[in-house]
Every structure is written in structure tokens, then in C-alpha cells.
Amino acid sequence: MSRPAPELLAPAGSPEALRAAVEHGADAVYLGWGTFNARRGAQNFSEEEFAQAVAYCHVRGVRVFLTLNILLTDRELPEALETARAASRLGVDAVLVQDWGLLDLLRRTLPDLPLHASTQMSVFTSGGAREAASAGCERVVIARECSREETAEICRSCPAEIETFVHGALCMCYSGQCAMSALIGGRSGNRGRCAQPCRLPYGVNAAARGQRPLSLKDSCMADHLSEMGDLGVSCLKIEGRMRRPGYVAAVTDIYARLLEERRPPTPQERECLERAFSRSGFTDAYWRGKTGPEMFGFRPENAAPAEEPAPSGTDRRIPVEFTCAVRAGVPCSLEAGDGSGNHIAVSGPVPEPAGTRALTAEDLSARLSKTGGTPYRCANVNTTVEPGLHLSAAAVNGLRRDALEALSAARSALPLRRELLPPPLPEADCGEAEPRLTVSVVHAAQLTGGLLDFRPARVYVPLELLADVPSLPETEAEYCAILPRVWRDRDEDLLCRWLDKARVLGAAGLLLGNLGHFSLARGGGWKLYGDYGLNVFNSRSLAWLREKGLDSACLSFELRFSQMRDMKKILPAEAIVYGRLPLMITENCLIQNAVGCRCDRPNFLNDRTGASFPLLPAFGHRTEVENSRPLYLADRPDWRRLGLAFGRLRFTTERPEECVEICRRYLEQAAPAGEFTRGLYLRGVE
């Protein structure tokens, strides 16, 4: 039975998992090769294994996507480009990308290689999806947090294909925005090394420390597959490159059957999915537009994994039609077609006159139909057999074998793709000998005359705060509105009204932290600055953002000082040099889930060591988790020698007088007082 769209995409963390996915009905697989992918802990593939995997999949009608979806330094970009170039030559069908610099480099050097926007790009609005499409992505993997209605709107509005996750682990934080593993343990999720600290026990406001308020159940969208296809979703993705082949086989097999038969799962299939892997069951709450404590769960350490199931019995082999002619005095011929445009012809020996028994059309058809042990099944045989001729069984078998080998070669033929030289970076040098200070606040009370007396270059204020204040204090500093890190299409009319109010108050700039912000800000006459949410990790990302119209960009706080120093400042660069660094931005409100709605008071996440992580309310009743200790660099002169144009003091939980004191300390380069961290600038991340 032919299966309607959408495509079923399965994980392949190893060659064994890849075979399990293909044998159990995947239309496509995604895998990692080399060191630059978001599951660097998976077994992944060697170059030889990768080449074999692509050929194996293409013969069987399965597409192969390569994951190059991590942030990359300037030194790593050339190797990542060579990985993509080699994969393209081997016939990979697309490459998943997170890093803006790599995206731009691949678009310019391998223009025929399809690119997919990874979920690590944090796309959750139509505007963000359209921006990814205009940047050269033919497919966009949207955030797991998107609801049915939000997904439908993105599908309607975006010219690119839309891919959604339908089964597997859910991260508490929006993908691409989590720094918890990096800042706590030095293992970056943006670099494919997440240690999953979200699965550990925590408490909220020192209560119930044995709970797991960051550990979401796995997603299961098995009840919604037909609905997703009807909305225009092009691809359904199963998470799990770190999972065993048995898991891949079980989940892929069930989802393939559900798609083929356009039905919900049976109780037995639901039980099989839970046995394969679950955390206290499953959830589909995000799809239904819900959040809440029922979404959370964990998996006991002694839970036994399910064994790999037997194939479901559905014949997934490629149907082939044979046309064979056996005539006197000429070599026998066999043509084979797969119904997908591949058609080959081979020839064999000249038939001999028959002895006791002549070859019949029925005999020939029966022999050609024996395709067992190959990726093919015989769908039909057309024969022409002249009477009185003999052709041995070995000759017919050889003819069939040659035809199927030629057909496999045609199906796995390598594409012809252009390869261009990497373009040089622009000559612009926006490095500065001495950075100027900027400040960001979250409360109106922090915006005092004493703070502004230090004459910061810019003052960043949340857009929602600007919507609530009647006026702003007089200052020579440039006021800039911080756009919400997470929002939805339905919020954009409100955000546009708030932008009008911000302009009336005197704001001149906007701080953009997401790809979807560009369409909101474009054409408004604003000065546009990039925030840390854009994950700027290399010089080419700065060049790409310059092309997008930004006037400066904040560098990722997962970079080391030396990496910041060596980055070519094609755009004026900013770095956060003081403050509690953001660990997570979550769709679920941690405060509401734990203690009810008390977001107007201080709230904390508490870990097993006694550390307290402030919980700040974010736009849309979301939560931002801050680091337990503030970054402090006032006494470190090295951050001033990196060529930065700006150093940001990020005020979150500080009282107004503390904000003023911190500014004074930075101007005096004073030693720290109290607990602090140097962040990742000195030790870096894996």
C-alpha cells in the first residue's frame, strides 16, 4: 500500500539503528557523521559507514539527512564545510544546520545541497519560518512547544516544508536556548554534549526537593498523525539518536503502520511504545496548547528496555516490473523498472535449441519472480518466449541478478552538485580598543538616575515593561527595547502596538534574540542589535547578521575569551560581562506548576547542593531560569582587550542600589564582593 504524506523520519545513531529504521518503515533517516552534530554522544558513523548507509538507504527508497546542527567556532567551520562537501558527494539528501555562519557558508559553497533548519534554531512563528526559508532552508523543524493551531499557521504561511517531532524526549527548555548543562558542568547542549541536568531532582522555593520539575514526559503524537498531515506538515520526526536499535525498530514500525492505515494506535501498540521507552507515560499537551504538572515524569534507573520487534509483515521492498525477451539467435534481454523513473536493460546468453523440454513463458516468469534476499519484489513480469528454445536456470538467475544490480546502481546514483570556493569574509573591522558599557534591566525600579549617571552607551528595557511605564528618565544613553525571547503569531499585533508605544517613549533600538524578530522589526526605522539568543559563535555569523541589517550583535557566552578575541569583528560585538546568565527559557511556568501563580514575588529553583536559581517570569506566562551566581569580570582586564565594542551589565535580581554599585565597581575595575562566577569565558565548553 502506498503511504500518503507526510514523510516518516527516524533516528539513526548507529549503523544498527539505521538498518532497524529502514527495515521497519522509515521514509528517511537522520544521522551524525564526524564531530559536529547535536548528539555527539551517539555512536554515529565513520566515513566508510556513512557512504554505505547512503547507498543502502537510497536503494531502498529511503532518504538520508546529515546533522551538522551545533554551534561552530571559526577554527571548526572549514572542517564542517569539508564534512558537508564529502556528504554531498556521497549523495546525502539534506543537511540540518543550526549555526548561521555554517548556513551561509553552505549556501554559498554548495548551492545545490538542500539545507534544513534544525530545531536548534528556535523557530516557533511564521515569521521565523519564513526567514529560515529566505535564508536558503527548504525545510524548517519547528519547536516542539508549538500547538496544533500554531503549527497550522506556520504551515499556511511558510513556503518551506515544515517538520515536527512526533515521538521521543522533550527538553524543558526551548531547543537552542538552553545553557544549563554548559554553565553547570561545562557540557554544552548547543555543542552536542548535553549532560541532561534537567532530569535531576529539584525543588521550587525550597519545597519538595525530591521532585523533578524540569523532567518532561516523552512526547507521543500517535493519535494526531492524520491531523498533522491534513494541516500540511511535511515530515514527522521520531527523536532518539541516543536510543537502542530496538527502540528505533519498535517506534518506527508502529508509526509507519499508523500512517499507512490512517488510524490511531491500538491499546497493544500504545503498550509497545511505553515498553520501548517512556517517562511515567507520554504527553501530547503542547500539541493541545496545554501546559501543567501532568506533563512531567521520569524513568526509573532499573527500567528494562524492550527487545527489537519482528518486522510487522508489511512488504516494504521496492516493486519491480520485468520485461524479458527470449528469441532464437539473439541474446536474451531483460528490462527492469521501479516505477520511480529508473529503467535499465541487460542482456544474457543466446538461447539454445531445446532438447527434451522447451522454456515456457510460465517457467521464465516463475524464475524471474524469485527476488528473495534483495531489496526488491517482483510486481509484474512481461515475457516474450519463442517456441523450441532452452535457457538454463543459472542463465535466468544471472540475468535477474544483473538487472537488479543495475537498478540498484541507478537508484543510488550520485547527484551532480556544484562546488564553489568559500567566499572571503568582508574587510570590515569594527573592533574597538576599549568597550563601552551597556546595561539591561528587568524592573522599572532598577532604572534610576544613579544608574544613568554612569552614562551607559545603551539601556536595554523589556518591551513589555516599556508598555507599562508612562515615561523614561532623561539620559544621553540610547534606549533599546528587548523583544520577548518567546512569543507566538497571535501575539504579534500586541507586540507591534507596544513597539509604537516604545517609539513614543524615545526608544531608538531593538534587541533581537530570535530569527522571528527580524520580520517584526524590519521596515520600522529601528536600529537593530542582536541578542545572546541568536547564538553568535563565529565570524561568518557576524557577517550573515550584518547582511540581515543588524548594527551590532551579542556574542554567545559559551565562547572563551580567546575565541572572542580571534573573531573577526565584521559587526560591532557585545558580550555579557556581568549578571546572572540565563540557563533556560521554558514554555511551562515552573512557579505555577509548583506553588501556584505568585510570579510577582521572588521564586527560586533549588538543587541538591543547596544552590538557588532565580526564576524570572517571562512574556506569555513562561519562565526564565537564571544562574545561581552572577558573572563578575570587573577585576579581569582581559575582557577589555578582545576588540569588543560593548560590555553588557545584565541586571536581573539586583536591587536598584546594587545596580548602581555594580556600575561603580566596573568603572573602578574593583574586586568582587560575595559569591560569583567567571562563567565559561576562561574554561570554555565541550
Side-chain angles (χ1 to χ4, degrees):
M1 177 189 298
S2 61
R3 185 166 72 230
E7 177 180 69
L8 180 61
L9 177 59
S14 67
E16 294 78 16
L18 180 139
R19 287 191 291 272
V22 173
E23 290 171 2
H24 289 267
D27 298 310
V29 295
Y30 62 103
L31 54 85
W33 170 30
T35 57
F36 303 129
N37 69 90
R39 289 294 182 269
R40 293 163 78 182
Q43 179 179 333
N44 291 313
F45 289 72
S46 67
E47 182 172 355
E48 181 181 1
E49 289 170 337
F50 182 81
Q52 292 171 348
V54 174
Y56 172 87
C57 287
H58 284 176
V59 166
R60 290 157 179 81
V62 174
R63 300 206 293 167
V64 180
F65 305 146
L66 175 66
T67 56
L68 286 177
N69 55 340
I70 66 168
L71 301 180
L72 298 157
T73 66
D74 281 331
R75 291 187 178 184
E76 293 169 333
L77 276 175
E79 184 181 345
L81 173 60
E82 288 309 307
T83 299
R85 193 191 306 274
S88 180
R89 290 171 180 169
L90 292 172
V92 76
D93 294 285
V95 173
L96 280 86
V97 180
Q98 173 190 13
D99 189 278
W100 312 119
L102 180 62
L103 171 68
D104 189 54
L105 192 59
L106 294 180
R107 183 172 57 86
R108 293 175 183 272
T109 58
L110 300 171
D112 302 320
L113 176 64
L115 302 177
H116 293 179
S118 168
T119 189
Q120 293 288 113
M121 280 192 185
S122 310
V123 175
F124 40 73
T125 64
S126 298
R130 289 194 298 269
E131 291 293 325
S134 68
C137 295
E138 70 172 30
R139 178 178 289 182
V140 180
V141 188
I142 61 175
R144 294 167 171 89
E145 291 85 352
C146 290
S147 70
R148 177 196 184 281
E149 291 73 21
E150 292 155 0
T151 301
E153 180 60 32
I154 294 172
C155 288
R156 283 194 296 268
S157 304
C158 180
E161 296 178 347
I162 300 302
E163 177 177 308
T164 64
F165 281 88
V166 293
H167 197 92
L170 287 174
C171 296
M172 182 63 175
C173 181
Y174 275 82
S175 292
Q177 300 301 307
C178 187
M180 189 173 221
S181 179
L183 284 164
I184 291 178
R187 296 175 58 185
S188 170
N190 281 315
R191 300 272 292 159
R193 295 291 193 190
C194 181
Q196 298 191 337
C198 53
R199 302 299 179 187
L200 297 174
Y202 296 91
V204 174
N205 295 339
R209 291 195 182 186
Q211 301 300 311
R212 286 179 167 83
L214 304 180
S215 181
L216 288 162
K217 296 176 180 177
D218 277 22
S219 172
C220 179
M221 301 294 293
D223 287 310
H224 307 288
L225 304 186
S226 296
E227 181 182 27
M228 297 174 106
D230 293 341
L231 293 177
V233 174
S234 298
C235 180
L236 308 179
K237 186 173 195 171
I238 299 169
E239 185 275 338
R241 276 195 293 140
M242 299 290 288
R243 303 275 171 86
R244 300 168 57 256
Y247 169 88
V248 175
V251 176
T252 303
D253 189 76
I254 290 174
Y255 274 81
R257 282 189 273 122
L258 299 183
L259 285 167
E260 287 168 353
E261 300 167 18
R262 293 186 66 84
R263 62 171 175 82
T266 65
Q268 293 77 18
E269 287 168 331
R270 295 180 195 276
E271 182 182 350
C272 180
L273 290 172
E274 287 210 31
R275 286 202 313 270
F277 192 96
S278 72
R279 292 182 169 92
S280 309
F282 294 115
T283 182
D284 63 354
Y286 282 147
W287 181 255
R288 294 184 290 108
K290 304 294 183 182
T291 57
E294 71 279 359
M295 295 182 64
F296 293 78
F298 69 100
R299 185 171 177 83
E301 294 182 4
N302 59 354
E307 296 301 318
E308 181 173 343
S312 63
T314 302
D315 193 345
R316 305 190 190 280
R317 294 178 297 167
I318 307 302
V320 177
E321 181 169 350
F322 290 120
T323 301
C324 188
V326 180
R327 296 185 175 91
V330 296
C332 58
S333 65
L334 177 62
E335 298 178 6
D338 62 2
S340 299
N342 296 299
H343 194 272
I344 59 88
V346 297
S347 59
V350 177
E352 300 174 351
T356 58
R357 187 172 184 273
L359 178 69
T360 66
E362 291 76 14
D363 293 337
L364 183 59
S365 295
R367 292 172 186 171
L368 290 175
S369 298
K370 295 179 179 179
T371 58
T374 74
Y376 305 100
R377 62 177 175 85
C378 179
N380 190 40
V381 181
N382 304 299
T383 61
T384 301
V385 181
E386 293 184 351
L389 298 177
H390 170 73
L391 194 64
S392 69
V396 175
N397 292 342
L399 198 64
R400 183 190 64 236
R401 181 179 61 250
D402 291 347
L404 294 182
E405 287 178 354
L407 188 59
S408 291
R411 291 175 63 83
S412 59
L414 300 179
L416 295 176
R417 289 170 172 160
R418 290 170 292 168
E419 295 185 7
L420 309 178
L421 292 175
L425 288 167
E427 291 299 323
D429 183 4
C430 300
E432 297 287 348
E434 180 72 18
R436 301 172 65 193
L437 289 179
T438 64
V439 298
S440 67
V441 300
V442 298
H443 303 298
Q446 294 170 324
L447 199 57
T448 63
L451 179 71
L452 297 175
D453 285 344
F454 288 98
R455 304 179 67 182
R458 298 174 188 158
V459 179
Y460 301 117
V461 184
L463 181 61
E464 55 267 43
L465 178 57
L466 292 174
D468 276 345
V469 298
S471 62
L472 292 172
E474 291 284 335
T475 178
E476 296 179 4
E478 178 184 67
Y479 279 114
C480 304
I482 308 172
L483 293 179
R485 285 180 72 187
V486 178
W487 76 104
R488 291 295 190 270
D489 284 356
R490 63 178 177 272
D491 301 316
E492 294 194 355
D493 287 344
L494 174 63
L495 297 183
C496 288
R497 292 197 298 272
W498 285 357
L499 285 172
D500 291 339
K501 168 74 179 302
R503 192 189 302 278
V504 171
L505 290 176
L510 298 181
L511 197 55
L512 315 183
N514 183 272
L515 191 60
H517 284 154
F518 289 87
S519 59
L520 270 176
R522 189 175 289 121
W526 298 95
K527 295 180 181 178
L528 304 180
Y529 309 123
D531 206 357
Y532 57 84
L534 292 176
N535 290 325
V536 177
F537 226 72
N538 52 63
S539 304
R540 286 199 176 270
S541 290
L542 286 175
W544 186 79
L545 292 172
R546 181 187 179 190
E547 282 191 2
K548 298 285 288 183
L550 291 196
D551 296 295
S552 73
C554 185
L555 305 183
S556 168
F557 50 77
E558 293 188 12
L559 288 165
R560 293 195 302 273
F561 277 157
S562 59
Q563 293 166 330
M564 289 183 170
R565 180 197 63 219
D566 296 342
M567 196 178 295
K568 188 173 182 182
K569 308 303 187 301
I570 297 159
L571 200 61
E574 182 177 27
I576 297 175
V577 297
Y578 170 81
R580 295 183 186 273
L581 296 175
L583 303 185
M584 284 187 171
I585 178 77
T586 71
E587 184 67 14
N588 264 275
C589 176
L590 275 70
I591 307 161
Q592 173 73 36
N593 287 350
V595 295
C597 188
R598 45 164 290 168
C599 298
D600 57 336
R601 288 169 280 177
N603 296 279
F604 298 89
L605 183 75
N606 316 106
D607 71 8
R608 296 177 298 176
T609 71
S612 292
F613 303 87
L615 301 175
L616 299 186
F619 175 80
H621 205 181
R622 299 174 177 97
T623 300
E624 187 171 272
V625 184
E626 311 298 327
N627 201 9
S628 59
R629 291 175 292 167
L631 171 74
Y632 190 88
L633 298 173
D635 59 329
R636 298 281 311 200
D638 35 4
W639 74 267
R640 303 174 185 272
R641 298 196 292 262
L642 305 176
L644 297 171
F646 305 100
R648 187 189 309 178
L649 309 182
R650 185 174 188 264
F651 297 122
T652 53
T653 60
E654 290 83 0
R655 298 187 303 275
E657 60 272 20
E658 290 178 314
C659 297
V660 174
E661 175 63 14
I662 293 299
C663 286
R664 183 188 66 77
R665 286 179 170 274
Y666 267 73
L667 290 181
E668 296 176 357
Q669 302 184 32
E675 291 188 341
F676 67 95
T677 177
R678 302 297 191 185
L680 298 164
Y681 293 141
L682 304 179
R683 59 189 173 107
V685 293
E686 291 184 33

